[in-house]
Amino acid sequence: MRYQPVIGLEIHAELLTQSKVFCTCKNEFGGSENTRVCPRCSGLPGTLPLLNKNAVYLAAKAGFATDCTVNNYSSFDRKNYFYPDLPKAYQITQFENPICTNGHITVKGGKDIRINRIHIEEDAGKLVHDDYEGISMADYNRCGVPLIEIVTEPDFRSVSEVQDFVEQIALRLKYAGVCDARMEQGSLRVDVNISIMPVGSDTFGTRAEIKNLNSIKAIGRAIEYEIERQSDILDNGGTVVQETRRFNDNHGDTKSLRSKEEAHDYRYFPEPDIPPVLLSDEDIEEIKKSMPQMPQVRFARYTKEYGLPDDDAALIISTKEFSDFYDETVKINPDYKQVSNMMLVELNRNLNDLEKTINDVPFSPCDLAELVKMSTDGTVSKNAAKDILKIMFDKGGKPMEIAKNNGFIMDNDTSALEDVIEKVISENADTVQSYKEGNEKVFGFLMGQVVRAGGKGVNPKLAKDLLTEKLK
Ligand code: ADP
Ligand code: ZN
Ligand code: MG
């Protein structure tokens, strides 16, 4: 039988706050175990949580980044379960009244994936298993790190829709400064819920949940494996059980972790120690105003208004800093295509050579705008523009000054160039003779001699025309 997969996601993203969500411990990655813990986040009795305001703002920003409604009223609940990395034996989360609801993201192909909710919660600690000693240890550094959980409707029907969605979410959260979205470090973790149904059916099957996928590739492999596994079960007359499974990156398979808990297993109840979060319309408007323009909006502007090819636009938006630099540059010199070329080819070449990023560029968008203009209006040749850019990286300086100091200003003085060409012709009589006898290959050699004798300021087009003329 042929089956159609049905997929919904739950994505956990760590918020880029300075401190944890209910205490003042530092919110950081790495470091030695249990060095960022206090009585609150290690769950000692009698301590009270104190909500981090910035965590609320960042969660609201995540809502704006995904076209959600940011709610005036949201509140916290306790989700009770015992686990060694959760010392309080309950997790504070938002169950009844999440901060954001009803968003969507359009994936490749134009389909809208609905986002059911985004809620704030605290992360649990980590267990470190030492197989050699045969013991497990608890590291509480991650306890109380602020998270948002983004929950989609089961709207995905293919791996590529899921992967595109996750890539877009990661990029948007980075643009908004909500999360650094480093999947390999676990700051963005994806749980995939997947079921299958016969092609043509519209009754969803029973789903399995694959926890904590930490790369785009792992997401694809885990889904492919699950489709196979569930198809085999149904083809053999069995039934899929609702459960939580773990993907093993080395084996490329998934294994059952535990049967899926139902909401009532968690005995949710309102968190008595945290008052509801009340955001006024003005608060919400202010947060909205602080949002940078999102990458998909910039992509549409680059392709539709600026006429850039999709691939180039995609490269420009790949980081906010690169896109910001581009936007600042075209504000001064709206030669969209030429600025894009200069950045994607020459600027990136220099950054690669120097192993640097756009954040390290030692000159301003204004300087780059000027350089592009000098190249397009014929002040300097295309090749000279490349040399000038390299000097701007290596030694600094303004493009026009560099051009003047290095003799890069293109010389459009025809009579001076004619003198140079005549000199080259007389010094290379044999080659000229050979050209006149039909050996056109030597033209390039003669051009090279002209450029060498005339210096960096030679206008290549003018030189070519004049040389052709003189050789007749
Ligand atoms: P629960 O309350 O049991 O956690 P939800 O309705 O909140 O269930 O859904 C959890 C996740 O599972 C969501 O991402 C949702 O899109 C997805 N999901 C729900 N039903 C299915 C299904 N039949 N197949 C695949 N995914 C599903
Ligand atoms: Zn703490
Ligand atoms: Mg749920």
Side-chain angles (χ1 to χ4, degrees):
M1 177 106 70
R2 287 186 57 237
Y3 297 100
Q4 168 69 65
V6 171
I7 302 161
L9 302 181
E10 293 162 293
I11 300 177
H12 286 96
E14 289 181 355
L15 300 176
L16 284 171
T17 55
Q18 297 291 316
S19 54
K20 291 185 178 180
V21 62
F22 299 125
C23 65
T24 54
C25 290
K26 258 187 162 199
N27 173 22
E28 274 177 354
F29 180 79
S32 309
E33 293 81 4
N34 294 313
T35 49
R36 297 187 298 273
V37 280
C38 72
R40 281 200 189 120
C41 57
S42 57
L44 296 192
T47 57
L48 292 172
L50 209 69
L51 179 59
N52 182 333
K53 189 171 166 184
N54 193 29
V56 174
Y57 283 0
L58 293 181
K61 285 185 168 191
F64 286 122
T66 51
D67 285 319
C68 283
T69 304
V70 177
N71 298 313
N72 298 107
Y73 180 96
S74 67
S75 61
F76 287 88
D77 301 275
R78 289 187 182 180
K79 180 180 184 180
N80 297 278
Y81 61 101
F82 175 76
Y83 208 65
D85 61 5
L86 187 78
K88 288 201 301 285
Y90 61 85
Q91 179 188 29
I92 302 178
T93 180
Q94 295 187 308
F95 182 63
E96 291 290 346
N97 304 291
I99 182 162
C100 310
T101 42
N102 291 328
H104 68 90
I105 282 186
T106 310
V107 290
K108 271 189 196 129
K111 177 165 146 192
D112 273 350
I113 303 295
R114 292 167 298 160
I115 291 168
N116 173 288
R117 59 190 279 147
I118 299 178
H119 60 257
I120 304 170
E121 60 188 30
E122 58 179 334
D123 210 345
K126 249 184 203 168
L127 289 184
V128 185
H129 303 288
D130 186 334
D131 289 338
Y132 185 74
E133 299 281 354
I135 54 171
S136 293
M137 292 165 288
D139 174 8
Y140 292 156
N141 279 347
R142 207 176 63 182
C143 270
V145 164
L147 293 179
I148 47 170
E149 179 174 346
I150 304 166
V151 183
T152 79
E153 297 295 344
D155 287 345
F156 301 95
R157 296 291 177 271
S158 71
V159 168
S160 65
E161 287 174 359
V162 173
Q163 289 176 328
D164 185 42
F165 182 94
V166 173
E167 280 173 351
Q168 284 203 54
I169 281 267
L171 191 60
R172 292 183 191 198
L173 295 181
K174 282 194 267 187
Y175 266 65
V178 167
C179 171
D180 61 17
R182 298 203 176 122
M183 292 188 80
E184 72 293 348
Q185 290 187 356
S187 64
L188 190 87
R189 313 191 282 270
V190 177
D191 301 346
V192 169
N193 295 275
I194 171 167
S195 62
I196 58 170
M197 59 187 181
V199 169
S201 165
D202 52 13
T203 311
F204 291 172
T206 304
R207 70 182 194 262
E209 180 184 20
I210 326 296
K211 277 275 187 208
N212 287 339
L213 295 164
N214 64 0
S215 73
I216 295 288
K217 201 169 150 206
I219 290 170
R221 292 171 69 209
I223 294 174
E224 301 291 1
Y225 180 85
E226 268 306 299
I227 295 174
E228 283 277 323
R229 185 186 71 86
Q230 295 183 18
S231 302
D232 282 349
I233 292 174
L234 295 190
D235 284 345
N236 290 310
T239 47
V240 174
V241 288
Q242 184 163 327
E243 62 185 354
T244 302
R245 301 178 70 87
R246 190 211 312 265
F247 176 67
N248 182 320
D249 225 331
N250 296 325
H251 302 154
D253 64 4
T254 66
K255 287 258 158 23
S256 181
L257 272 181
R258 54 178 187 260
S259 70
K260 168 82 180 161
E261 300 83 353
E262 301 291 339
H264 60 251
D265 294 329
Y266 290 123
R267 295 177 296 117
Y268 281 103
F269 65 85
E271 165 61 58
D273 292 334
I274 305 175
V277 176
L278 304 174
L279 294 173
S280 67
D281 291 344
E282 292 73 38
D283 293 334
I284 291 174
E285 196 49 41
E286 200 167 303
I287 299 169
K288 189 176 186 179
K289 273 204 214 118
S290 74
M291 293 286 294
Q293 191 174 50
M294 287 290 103
Q296 77 283 3
V297 181
R298 299 187 195 210
F299 181 87
R301 173 160 54 86
Y302 296 160
T303 52
K304 300 210 172 80
E305 286 178 40
Y306 296 1
L308 299 185
D310 284 7
D311 289 349
D312 292 1
L315 285 171
I316 294 174
I317 62 162
S318 63
T319 69
K320 176 173 177 292
E321 291 75 16
F322 199 88
S323 175
D324 284 347
F325 201 103
Y326 176 79
D327 281 346
E328 289 301 317
T329 308
V330 296
K331 237 184 241 166
I332 302 160
N333 179 1
D335 195 340
Y336 307 121
K337 183 70 191 159
Q338 295 303 327
V339 172
S340 163
N341 285 349
M342 183 66 90
M343 286 187 68
L344 291 176
V345 183
E346 296 306 327
L347 187 94
N348 271 344
R349 188 205 313 283
N350 281 281
L351 289 176
N352 277 345
D353 288 349
L354 298 165
E355 290 193 61
K356 292 194 164 173
T357 74
I358 189 76
N359 299 321
D360 310 313
V361 170
F363 47 84
S364 68
C366 184
D367 294 334
L368 192 73
E370 169 84 3
L371 178 64
V372 171
K373 183 166 171 297
M374 286 163 58
S375 164
T376 48
D377 71 8
T379 307
V380 298
S381 71
K382 291 255 174 325
N383 276 330
K386 292 179 196 173
D387 293 343
I388 294 169
L389 187 67
K390 186 161 186 328
I391 294 171
M392 287 162 73
F393 268 104
D394 293 344
K395 300 185 195 144
K398 299 284 170 197
M400 189 55 102
E401 273 169 37
I402 296 171
K404 283 180 180 154
N405 295 340
N406 293 275
F408 287 151
I409 301 291
M410 199 139 69
D411 198 346
N412 292 317
D413 178 346
T414 313
S415 68
L417 189 53
E418 272 173 340
D419 293 348
V420 171
I421 289 173
E422 253 142 38
K423 185 159 166 276
V424 168
I425 287 179
S426 68
E427 281 172 2
N428 295 278
D430 292 352
T431 314
V432 171
Q433 188 58 32
S434 146
Y435 176 83
K436 285 187 172 160
E437 285 162 6
N439 183 7
E440 291 186 1
K441 275 186 297 191
V442 299
F443 187 84
F445 169 79
L446 292 170
M447 260 299 282
Q449 297 301 307
V450 172
V451 171
R452 227 163 116 200
K456 292 268 191 193
V458 167
N459 178 335
K461 181 161 182 331
L462 187 61
K464 188 167 171 242
D465 293 347
L466 285 177
L467 182 61
T468 310
E469 185 62 30
K470 297 261 179 222
L471 286 173
K472 272 195 181 144

mmCIF file of all heavy atoms in Angstrom, residues 6-10 151-155 193-195 204-207 242 260-263, ligand 1:
data_model
loop_
_atom_site.group_PDB
_atom_site.id
_atom_site.type_symbol
_atom_site.label_atom_id
_atom_site.label_comp_id
_atom_site.label_asym_id
_atom_site.label_seq_id
_atom_site.Cartn_x
_atom_site.Cartn_y
_atom_site.Cartn_z
ATOM 1 N N VAL A 6 1.898 12.302 7.559
ATOM 2 C CA VAL A 6 1.317 13.519 8.158
ATOM 3 C C VAL A 6 2.230 13.904 9.317
ATOM 4 O O VAL A 6 2.530 13.068 10.169
ATOM 5 C CB VAL A 6 -0.108 13.231 8.690
ATOM 6 C CG1 VAL A 6 -0.640 14.412 9.501
ATOM 7 C CG2 VAL A 6 -1.046 12.909 7.532
ATOM 8 N N ILE A 7 2.696 15.148 9.294
ATOM 9 C CA ILE A 7 3.742 15.521 10.263
ATOM 10 C C ILE A 7 3.401 16.848 10.941
ATOM 11 O O ILE A 7 2.918 17.783 10.303
ATOM 12 C CB ILE A 7 5.115 15.653 9.548
ATOM 13 C CG1 ILE A 7 5.475 14.335 8.847
ATOM 14 C CG2 ILE A 7 6.218 16.041 10.529
ATOM 15 C CD1 ILE A 7 6.535 14.470 7.772
ATOM 16 N N GLY A 8 3.635 16.900 12.239
ATOM 17 C CA GLY A 8 3.530 18.158 12.999
ATOM 18 C C GLY A 8 4.787 18.317 13.838
ATOM 19 O O GLY A 8 5.403 17.330 14.229
ATOM 20 N N LEU A 9 5.187 19.558 14.104
ATOM 21 C CA LEU A 9 6.440 19.787 14.830
ATOM 22 C C LEU A 9 6.223 20.461 16.171
ATOM 23 O O LEU A 9 5.277 21.245 16.350
ATOM 24 C CB LEU A 9 7.370 20.693 14.003
ATOM 25 C CG LEU A 9 7.775 20.226 12.615
ATOM 26 C CD1 LEU A 9 8.707 21.260 11.984
ATOM 27 C CD2 LEU A 9 8.447 18.865 12.656
ATOM 28 N N GLU A 10 7.089 20.123 17.097
ATOM 29 C CA GLU A 10 7.227 20.875 18.342
ATOM 30 C C GLU A 10 8.691 21.286 18.416
ATOM 31 O O GLU A 10 9.567 20.434 18.456
ATOM 32 C CB GLU A 10 6.828 20.010 19.536
ATOM 33 C CG GLU A 10 5.327 19.687 19.521
ATOM 34 C CD GLU A 10 4.974 18.502 20.407
ATOM 35 O OE1 GLU A 10 5.388 17.367 20.088
ATOM 36 O OE2 GLU A 10 4.284 18.713 21.402
ATOM 37 N N VAL A 151 4.574 25.121 18.500
ATOM 38 C CA VAL A 151 3.824 23.907 18.153
ATOM 39 C C VAL A 151 3.037 24.153 16.865
ATOM 40 O O VAL A 151 2.239 25.089 16.777
ATOM 41 C CB VAL A 151 2.837 23.520 19.273
ATOM 42 C CG1 VAL A 151 2.111 22.212 18.927
ATOM 43 C CG2 VAL A 151 3.557 23.395 20.614
ATOM 44 N N THR A 152 3.285 23.321 15.857
ATOM 45 C CA THR A 152 2.544 23.489 14.593
ATOM 46 C C THR A 152 1.346 22.555 14.550
ATOM 47 O O THR A 152 1.258 21.590 15.299
ATOM 48 C CB THR A 152 3.418 23.157 13.363
ATOM 49 O OG1 THR A 152 3.496 21.732 13.208
ATOM 50 C CG2 THR A 152 4.802 23.746 13.473
ATOM 51 N N GLU A 153 0.440 22.840 13.643
ATOM 52 C CA GLU A 153 -0.630 21.893 13.313
ATOM 53 C C GLU A 153 -0.008 20.776 12.456
ATOM 54 O O GLU A 153 1.059 20.964 11.862
ATOM 55 C CB GLU A 153 -1.739 22.604 12.513
ATOM 56 C CG GLU A 153 -2.437 23.722 13.264
ATOM 57 C CD GLU A 153 -3.224 23.228 14.467
ATOM 58 O OE1 GLU A 153 -3.501 22.011 14.568
ATOM 59 O OE2 GLU A 153 -3.537 24.057 15.345
ATOM 60 N N PRO A 154 -0.668 19.629 12.362
ATOM 61 C CA PRO A 154 -0.099 18.531 11.552
ATOM 62 C C PRO A 154 -0.308 18.795 10.057
ATOM 63 O O PRO A 154 -1.028 18.077 9.378
ATOM 64 C CB PRO A 154 -0.883 17.302 12.032
ATOM 65 C CG PRO A 154 -2.133 17.824 12.629
ATOM 66 C CD PRO A 154 -1.883 19.218 13.092
ATOM 67 N N ASP A 155 0.336 19.841 9.547
ATOM 68 C CA ASP A 155 0.100 20.318 8.179
ATOM 69 C C ASP A 155 1.149 19.857 7.175
ATOM 70 O O ASP A 155 0.983 20.058 5.969
ATOM 71 C CB ASP A 155 0.052 21.860 8.163
ATOM 72 C CG ASP A 155 -1.230 22.395 8.783
ATOM 73 O OD1 ASP A 155 -2.184 21.599 8.964
ATOM 74 O OD2 ASP A 155 -1.283 23.608 9.085
ATOM 75 N N ASN A 193 6.450 14.842 15.099
ATOM 76 C CA ASN A 193 5.311 13.931 15.274
ATOM 77 C C ASN A 193 4.914 13.433 13.896
ATOM 78 O O ASN A 193 4.660 14.247 13.001
ATOM 79 C CB ASN A 193 4.117 14.669 15.881
ATOM 80 C CG ASN A 193 4.431 15.153 17.282
ATOM 81 O OD1 ASN A 193 4.282 14.416 18.241
ATOM 82 N ND2 ASN A 193 4.890 16.395 17.377
ATOM 83 N N ILE A 194 4.858 12.135 13.744
ATOM 84 C CA ILE A 194 4.582 11.624 12.405
ATOM 85 C C ILE A 194 3.656 10.420 12.436
ATOM 86 O O ILE A 194 3.798 9.526 13.260
ATOM 87 C CB ILE A 194 5.904 11.285 11.652
ATOM 88 C CG1 ILE A 194 5.609 10.549 10.358
ATOM 89 C CG2 ILE A 194 6.862 10.499 12.525
ATOM 90 C CD1 ILE A 194 6.776 10.467 9.430
ATOM 91 N N SER A 195 2.685 10.464 11.528
ATOM 92 C CA SER A 195 1.802 9.307 11.323
ATOM 93 C C SER A 195 1.701 9.104 9.818
ATOM 94 O O SER A 195 2.157 9.953 9.047
ATOM 95 C CB SER A 195 0.416 9.589 11.912
ATOM 96 O OG SER A 195 -0.169 10.691 11.245
ATOM 97 N N PHE A 204 -6.388 10.745 9.834
ATOM 98 C CA PHE A 204 -5.005 10.625 10.298
ATOM 99 C C PHE A 204 -4.785 9.325 11.049
ATOM 100 O O PHE A 204 -5.677 8.844 11.759
ATOM 101 C CB PHE A 204 -4.649 11.788 11.236
ATOM 102 C CG PHE A 204 -4.575 13.129 10.543
ATOM 103 C CD1 PHE A 204 -4.425 14.292 11.293
ATOM 104 C CD2 PHE A 204 -4.646 13.227 9.168
ATOM 105 C CE1 PHE A 204 -4.358 15.522 10.672
ATOM 106 C CE2 PHE A 204 -4.578 14.456 8.538
ATOM 107 C CZ PHE A 204 -4.433 15.613 9.294
ATOM 108 N N GLY A 205 -3.564 8.791 10.912
ATOM 109 C CA GLY A 205 -3.188 7.598 11.662
ATOM 110 C C GLY A 205 -2.676 7.957 13.053
ATOM 111 O O GLY A 205 -2.670 9.122 13.445
ATOM 112 N N THR A 206 -2.234 6.929 13.788
ATOM 113 C CA THR A 206 -1.650 7.148 15.114
ATOM 114 C C THR A 206 -0.204 7.594 14.944
ATOM 115 O O THR A 206 0.533 7.029 14.139
ATOM 116 C CB THR A 206 -1.676 5.838 15.923
ATOM 117 O OG1 THR A 206 -3.025 5.381 15.960
ATOM 118 C CG2 THR A 206 -1.148 6.051 17.329
ATOM 119 N N ARG A 207 0.196 8.583 15.726
ATOM 120 C CA ARG A 207 1.518 9.165 15.491
ATOM 121 C C ARG A 207 2.562 8.673 16.487
ATOM 122 O O ARG A 207 2.249 8.243 17.587
ATOM 123 C CB ARG A 207 1.432 10.680 15.610
ATOM 124 C CG ARG A 207 1.202 11.161 17.033
ATOM 125 C CD ARG A 207 1.075 12.662 17.047
ATOM 126 N NE ARG A 207 1.173 13.206 18.387
ATOM 127 C CZ ARG A 207 0.131 13.525 19.122
ATOM 128 N NH1 ARG A 207 -1.088 13.310 18.673
ATOM 129 N NH2 ARG A 207 0.301 14.055 20.316
ATOM 130 N N GLN A 242 1.078 4.825 19.892
ATOM 131 C CA GLN A 242 1.485 6.200 20.168
ATOM 132 C C GLN A 242 2.588 6.174 21.209
ATOM 133 O O GLN A 242 2.399 5.687 22.318
ATOM 134 C CB GLN A 242 0.285 7.005 20.678
ATOM 135 C CG GLN A 242 0.649 8.469 20.882
ATOM 136 C CD GLN A 242 -0.563 9.349 20.990
ATOM 137 O OE1 GLN A 242 -1.591 9.096 20.378
ATOM 138 N NE2 GLN A 242 -0.446 10.402 21.791
ATOM 139 N N LYS A 260 3.674 7.328 25.057
ATOM 140 C CA LYS A 260 3.360 8.763 25.114
ATOM 141 C C LYS A 260 2.441 9.080 26.291
ATOM 142 O O LYS A 260 1.390 8.449 26.467
ATOM 143 C CB LYS A 260 2.694 9.154 23.786
ATOM 144 C CG LYS A 260 2.050 10.512 23.757
ATOM 145 C CD LYS A 260 3.044 11.621 23.494
ATOM 146 C CE LYS A 260 2.303 12.967 23.490
ATOM 147 N NZ LYS A 260 3.208 14.079 23.682
ATOM 148 N N GLU A 261 2.865 10.073 27.073
ATOM 149 C CA GLU A 261 2.012 10.509 28.179
ATOM 150 C C GLU A 261 0.827 11.291 27.636
ATOM 151 O O GLU A 261 0.925 11.974 26.627
ATOM 152 C CB GLU A 261 2.780 11.424 29.142
ATOM 153 C CG GLU A 261 3.996 10.813 29.797
ATOM 154 C CD GLU A 261 5.232 10.864 28.910
ATOM 155 O OE1 GLU A 261 5.107 11.266 27.732
ATOM 156 O OE2 GLU A 261 6.303 10.472 29.397
ATOM 157 N N GLU A 262 -0.281 11.208 28.324
ATOM 158 C CA GLU A 262 -1.430 12.054 28.001
ATOM 159 C C GLU A 262 -1.379 13.279 28.911
ATOM 160 O O GLU A 262 -0.706 13.269 29.951
ATOM 161 C CB GLU A 262 -2.739 11.296 28.255
ATOM 162 C CG GLU A 262 -2.900 10.027 27.456
ATOM 163 C CD GLU A 262 -3.089 10.284 25.960
ATOM 164 O OE1 GLU A 262 -3.488 11.404 25.596
ATOM 165 O OE2 GLU A 262 -2.824 9.360 25.176
ATOM 166 N N ALA A 263 -2.082 14.327 28.510
ATOM 167 C CA ALA A 263 -2.055 15.556 29.305
ATOM 168 C C ALA A 263 -2.390 15.284 30.771
ATOM 169 O O ALA A 263 -1.765 15.834 31.682
ATOM 170 C CB ALA A 263 -3.025 16.573 28.719
HETATM 171 P P1 ADP B 1 -0.847 16.477 22.552
HETATM 172 O O1 ADP B 1 -1.799 17.367 23.210
HETATM 173 O O2 ADP B 1 -1.084 15.016 22.759
HETATM 174 O O3 ADP B 1 0.585 16.871 22.764
HETATM 175 P P2 ADP B 1 -1.213 17.973 20.163
HETATM 176 O O4 ADP B 1 -2.525 18.056 19.504
HETATM 177 O O5 ADP B 1 -0.776 19.128 21.004
HETATM 178 O O6 ADP B 1 -1.123 16.634 20.981
HETATM 179 O O7 ADP B 1 -0.130 17.734 19.050
HETATM 180 C C1 ADP B 1 1.218 17.596 19.342
HETATM 181 C C2 ADP B 1 1.963 17.592 18.035
HETATM 182 O O8 ADP B 1 1.620 16.454 17.270
HETATM 183 C C3 ADP B 1 1.642 18.773 17.146
HETATM 184 O O9 ADP B 1 2.844 19.193 16.513
HETATM 185 C C4 ADP B 1 0.676 18.225 16.132
HETATM 186 O O10 ADP B 1 0.772 18.916 14.894
HETATM 187 C C5 ADP B 1 1.154 16.808 15.967
HETATM 188 N N1 ADP B 1 0.095 15.853 15.604
HETATM 189 C C6 ADP B 1 -1.116 15.720 16.153
HETATM 190 N N2 ADP B 1 -1.792 14.709 15.578
HETATM 191 C C7 ADP B 1 -0.986 14.157 14.637
HETATM 192 C C8 ADP B 1 -1.085 13.074 13.719
HETATM 193 N N3 ADP B 1 -2.168 12.309 13.645
HETATM 194 N N4 ADP B 1 -0.036 12.828 12.907
HETATM 195 C C9 ADP B 1 1.095 13.580 12.988
HETATM 196 N N5 ADP B 1 1.245 14.583 13.828
HETATM 197 C C10 ADP B 1 0.239 14.895 14.658
#
